[in-house]
Amino acid sequence: MARSYVGEARRRGLGRRRERIVPIVERLAHEHADAAIALRFRSDLELLVSVMLSAQTTDTNVNRVTTRLFEKYRAPEDYLAVPLEELERDIYATGFFRQKAKAVRGTMRVLLEEFDGRVPRRLEELMRLPGVARKTANVVAAELGHAQGIVVDTHVRRLSQRLGLTRREDPVKIERDLQRVVPRADWARFPHLLIWHGRRVCDARRPRCEDCVLEDLCPSSRLGLVRSSGASGRARAAARSTRG
């Protein structure tokens, strides 16, 4: 179970989550001004397919596959016009190609039958599409300018815990915690900021706390923990000398 840094933030006098969230967002936005989705797409449909294919693989790998894929498949009907095996071959390199091909074709049928071939904006409608769970729906809605939640991936989970914004492990519960403190206007960009910060600075195994713009706001900072333990040691020493 991951260590909770919520209590650590309070012990170190870093302020409550609501007090720290605005400077956290502002500093990350300045530090990672280029933070954005890495998937390449030119339409709502391409966005949806890209996000569906991105499960269990890298964005770079998806972009490599979709460069050709989107030249061949331009509308929902195109995905249904070829044999399933052909679509599987076309997305093979993304991994789990059989499940993904089946989900993509199922999604295209629903888009045509229920949404006139258009990608819906509402979260509950997106989640009616085969193979589209909450995370995928959140990504698509946010990129289309209709963020109704906060995307929680491995980077967002890890950094949210390290920053003391949540003590939860379940992505849905983490999202709820974040929604309580992150300003709604930042729901779309906040995950991107954490993802890019996690890739560039806050590494899972060796976080570069000395280079982190959030170091003084982060209860898991190695530098802060050293300062805190040093202060505690001095306090104990002073108490002993007073008693002596």
Side-chain angles (χ1 to χ4, degrees), residues 46-134:
E46 290 185 0
L47 166 65
L48 175 60
V49 173
S50 293
V51 179
M52 293 179 70
L53 295 181
S54 68
Q56 305 299 317
T57 189
T58 65
D59 291 345
T60 300
N61 193 36
V62 173
N63 289 337
R64 188 179 300 116
V65 170
T66 56
T67 297
R68 291 186 177 181
L69 189 75
F70 292 154
E71 292 302 318
K72 180 176 180 179
Y73 303 88
R74 296 174 178 268
E77 295 88 347
D78 297 336
Y79 290 90
L80 300 173
V82 300
L84 176 62
E85 294 75 16
E86 184 174 343
L87 179 58
E88 289 177 350
R89 288 194 298 271
D90 289 338
I91 66 170
Y92 176 84
T94 67
F96 300 95
F97 59 94
R98 289 192 177 89
Q99 299 96 311
K100 291 180 180 179
K102 183 178 179 181
V104 167
R105 281 167 64 94
T107 283
M108 298 307 154
R109 288 194 186 95
V110 175
L111 288 180
L112 291 169
E113 293 170 1
E114 300 185 23
F115 300 103
D116 295 322
R118 299 185 180 92
V119 177
R121 263 60 173 167
R122 300 299 305 169
L123 210 61
E124 59 269 20
E125 293 177 336
L126 284 164
M127 292 176 66
R128 281 163 51 190
L129 303 175
V132 176
R134 186 174 183 86

Side-chain angles (χ1 to χ4, degrees), residues 17-219:
R17 288 175 288 183
R18 291 184 185 276
E19 297 170 352
R20 291 184 292 122
I21 194 63
V22 171
I24 285 174
V25 173
E26 289 178 346
R27 292 186 194 181
L28 289 179
H30 182 268
E31 186 74 6
H32 306 291
D34 58 339
I37 190 170
L39 295 171
R40 294 197 295 266
F41 55 91
R42 298 164 299 185
S43 67
D44 299 355
L45 185 64
E46 290 185 0
L47 166 65
L48 175 60
V49 173
S50 293
V51 179
M52 293 179 70
L53 295 181
S54 68
Q56 305 299 317
T57 189
T58 65
D59 291 345
T60 300
N61 193 36
V62 173
N63 289 337
R64 188 179 300 116
V65 170
T66 56
T67 297
R68 291 186 177 181
L69 189 75
F70 292 154
E71 292 302 318
K72 180 176 180 179
Y73 303 88
R74 296 174 178 268
E77 295 88 347
D78 297 336
Y79 290 90
L80 300 173
V82 300
L84 176 62
E85 294 75 16
E86 184 174 343
L87 179 58
E88 289 177 350
R89 288 194 298 271
D90 289 338
I91 66 170
Y92 176 84
T94 67
F96 300 95
F97 59 94
R98 289 192 177 89
Q99 299 96 311
K100 291 180 180 179
K102 183 178 179 181
V104 167
R105 281 167 64 94
T107 283
M108 298 307 154
R109 288 194 186 95
V110 175
L111 288 180
L112 291 169
E113 293 170 1
E114 300 185 23
F115 300 103
D116 295 322
R118 299 185 180 92
V119 177
R121 263 60 173 167
R122 300 299 305 169
L123 210 61
E124 59 269 20
E125 293 177 336
L126 284 164
M127 292 176 66
R128 281 163 51 190
L129 303 175
V132 176
R134 186 174 183 86
K135 176 186 171 184
T136 296
N138 264 332
V139 173
V140 173
E143 293 303 315
L144 294 180
H146 296 267
Q148 296 142 64
I150 297 176
V151 177
V152 177
D153 73 346
T154 54
H155 287 292
V156 174
R157 176 181 61 81
R158 177 168 54 81
L159 268 68
S160 295
Q161 291 171 343
R162 283 183 174 177
L163 287 166
L165 301 177
T166 183
R167 55 166 59 93
R168 310 285 190 173
E169 288 290 339
D170 179 75
V172 174
K173 294 180 180 178
I174 292 174
E175 182 182 0
R176 289 175 187 158
D177 283 349
L178 294 178
Q179 285 177 302
R180 292 188 185 101
V181 295
V182 177
R184 191 180 182 95
D186 294 315
W187 282 9
R189 70 169 176 170
F190 187 68
H192 292 312
L193 295 175
L194 291 189
I195 290 169
W196 285 84
H197 194 63
R199 290 172 177 170
R200 292 171 169 172
V201 180
C202 195
D203 184 75
R205 295 184 178 181
R206 295 182 179 179
R208 296 184 2 247
C209 298
E210 63 279 5
D211 298 323
C212 181
V213 295
L214 305 179
E215 190 278 323
D216 60 318
L217 296 172
C218 181

